[in-house]
Amino acid sequence: MKFAVIGGTGLIGSRVVENLNAAGHQAVPHSLSTGVDVITGQGLEAAVAGADVVVNLTNSPTFDEASPAFFRTSMENLLAASHEGGVGHVVILSIVGVDRVPDLDYYRAKVLQEEVLKAGPIPYSIVRATQFMEFMDATLSMTADGDTIRLPRTPIQPIAAADVAGVVAEVAAGSPVNGVVDIAGPDVYPLDELGRLTLTAKGDGRRVVTDDTAGLFAAVHGDVLTAPNGARIAPTHYTDWLS
């Protein structure tokens, strides 16, 4: 099959392209760097022309109140171009528990993206993943102050980007589910504990202080970001990934 992978040069997209091509398909990566702009629509029709499946892995450049406009416009533009091009399946990547964190602008924006896709004219699949292991350094930097990092006890179930990409490629190559596929890593950690584990493994002498009001994940209440019933559990453990 032929795949157009929008956002296909990024952390997940590049791996999805690699996996699909290794399986014998024809997957082509598209992004701003290849001349495709999902906001203005530039290059979009040409990118999806002739594709059996479109995988949308684009991401908002910000995580604030501007992100809903990005996801609405990009999803509407992509669906219009895909419908015109005869695409039979659209796949997006979202977040486990995304509809249960109303206090975060970015999570509300991803819910909006899902809703636009569901209301569109093309069969679809939504893959929801837990937090990527690769984003832990960025999470630590958000609340770092000198030698101290403040983190809440929010339960996190980290997943490796390679595992996410494998499932996205598999779902894209299958029939549309017209629903959600949840995937998560195999282990749950309180975020503050995960921070300490990460710093120790890296030989980083900074100290993690537990603060349930600190950072992005302070807006998350309970275990809503961990695997729901029926989720697929990926094989890579965080401690193995760190090593």
Side-chain angles (χ1 to χ4, degrees):
M1 293 192 294
K2 183 177 179 181
F3 296 80
V5 183
I6 315 299
T9 60
L11 174 68
I12 303 298
S14 58
R15 290 173 167 87
V16 170
V17 169
E18 182 180 343
N19 289 348
L20 288 169
N21 285 331
H25 301 293
Q26 180 187 357
V28 181
H30 302 282
S31 65
L32 275 173
S33 64
T34 69
V36 175
D37 190 325
V38 292
I39 297 301
T40 67
Q42 179 183 349
L44 201 49
E45 287 188 6
V48 303
D52 300 297
V53 182
V54 167
V55 183
N56 180 17
L57 300 171
T58 58
N59 201 9
S60 170
T62 69
F63 294 88
D64 56 18
E65 65 275 3
S67 54
F70 173 88
F71 283 115
R72 177 186 290 280
T73 301
S74 59
M75 197 72 250
E76 288 177 346
N77 287 345
L78 187 59
L79 285 174
S82 298
H83 186 54
E84 181 70 21
V87 172
H89 185 189
V90 176
V91 180
I92 67 168
L93 178 60
S94 191
I95 307 165
V96 163
V98 69
D99 52 347
R100 301 175 67 188
V101 191
D103 294 336
L104 287 181
D105 291 327
Y106 182 76
Y107 278 49
R108 290 199 305 272
K110 290 296 289 184
V111 170
L112 177 60
Q113 183 192 33
E114 291 186 4
E115 290 173 347
V116 172
L117 177 62
K118 292 174 184 176
I122 303 173
Y124 68 90
S125 300
I126 298 168
V127 178
R128 286 183 176 179
T130 51
Q131 282 62 48
F132 301 163
M133 296 176 183
E134 285 78 1
F135 288 171
M136 192 59 200
D137 284 346
T139 300
L140 293 174
S141 69
M142 286 179 187
T143 56
D145 183 11
D147 290 334
T148 300
I149 299 171
R150 297 187 178 277
L151 294 173
R153 290 170 289 183
T154 309
I156 299 292
Q157 196 163 348
I159 187 170
D163 291 339
V164 175
V167 174
V168 170
E170 179 186 328
V171 169
S175 300
V177 300
N178 293 312
V180 173
V181 176
D182 290 299
I183 56 173
D187 305 303
V188 178
Y189 299 90
L191 183 57
D192 58 341
E193 180 184 326
L194 193 62
R196 294 184 185 99
L197 181 65
T198 304
L199 294 180
T200 299
K202 294 178 178 291
D204 189 322
R206 291 179 294 174
R207 180 173 65 103
V208 171
V209 173
T210 302
D211 182 350
D212 288 330
T213 68
L216 187 73
F217 292 102
V220 178
H221 305 291
D223 59 357
V224 297
L225 300 185
T226 61
N229 290 336
R232 296 176 57 168
I233 303 301
T236 306
H237 294 272
Y238 187 66
T239 50
D240 294 334
W241 179 85
L242 270 178
S243 62

